[in-house]
Amino acid sequence: MQTYTESARRYLALGLKVIALTGKTPNVRVHPHGIKDALSGDPESVTLRACFEHPDTTGIGIATSYPYFVVDIDGEEGAQNWRDLVGDDDYMPDRWVARTGRGLHIWYAGVEPTNSIKLDTLLDLKGEGGYVAA
């Protein structure tokens, strides 16, 4: 099983920004400014190890920032709301898709920055200043 540090390195290698989580929120002991402290760049940095090997770290968050945004679908109700918005043919597009404990994260690349918004019940769009639990 990969450690949080090893997994965070893999996300950084893909050009993504990462943040250590406690539960589903930023670990404020290592990220006092929350998502603004998301790490990018050097996957071998001492800071990366300090954040992801901290005893309060229980997970990894991936910051959603331009050009990426994520549709966060929770449960069957969220899935139905997504189908209602995009239709059955586009429900599972040709994109990065991650299965979560409660549903799916569908990753998109946009042509301009997008803010985070609530799309419907159990259905969110995570954009600038947001993050998803990995």
Side-chain angles (χ1 to χ4, degrees), residues 31-87:
H31 301 295
H33 302 105
I35 193 65
K36 292 178 184 176
D37 291 336
L39 303 173
S40 62
D42 182 8
E44 300 305 321
S45 77
V46 172
T47 303
L48 183 75
R49 285 198 327 273
C51 291
F52 289 97
E53 293 173 13
H54 189 277
D56 291 346
T57 296
T58 61
I60 301 171
I62 301 174
T64 51
S65 61
Y66 179 76
Y68 302 112
F69 63 92
V70 175
V71 174
D72 182 2
I73 302 170
D74 290 330
E76 190 52 44
E77 183 179 355
Q80 186 58 54
N81 292 336
W82 180 240
R83 281 187 200 98
D84 292 346
L85 281 174
V86 300

